[in-house]
Amino acid sequence: RIAMNADNQFILNALEPLWDRITISSTSNFTDEVWRTEVADQHLRIIEAIADGDSSLVADLMKQHIARAADVYSNTKEELKH
């Protein structure tokens, strides 16, 4: 929603093929309270940076969030294989 509200077409296009995967992964990973809390904290920091108009911090936080989510979802996928 942040990308949609920011009208960031680049991010929207980049995420488009991933929405189904993100939705499925999010649903399964939100049963993990630690990860759910981490994601909520990340989202709050991103929203605060947006509200403060700090686009550089927003970009850094988004990169960190995406990298961390990729790591978590990648590890979850590997665990499901075993």
Side-chain angles (χ1 to χ4, degrees):
R1 292 186 185 208
I2 291 172
M4 286 188 291
N5 288 333
D7 196 28
N8 187 328
Q9 199 58 48
F10 176 79
I11 294 295
L12 290 172
N13 290 341
L15 291 176
E16 183 64 34
L18 302 175
W19 283 126
D20 289 339
R21 185 179 219 174
I22 290 169
T23 300
I24 292 167
S25 296
S26 295
T27 301
S28 63
N29 283 313
F30 279 164
T31 59
D32 179 344
E33 186 173 341
V34 173
W35 174 236
R36 186 174 62 238
T37 301
E38 183 177 339
V39 169
D41 290 344
Q42 291 171 357
H43 286 180
L44 180 58
R45 290 182 65 209
I46 292 166
I47 291 166
E48 288 171 345
I50 291 169
D52 291 342
D54 190 339
S55 60
S56 178
L57 180 58
V58 171
D60 289 344
L61 292 171
M62 289 296 298
K63 288 175 190 174
Q64 292 170 19
H65 173 62
I66 291 167
R68 177 69 177 126
D71 183 52
V72 167
Y73 295 143
S74 181
N75 289 334
T76 300
K77 185 178 175 183
E78 287 300 316
E79 289 172 8
L80 291 174
K81 289 181 182 177
H82 301 288

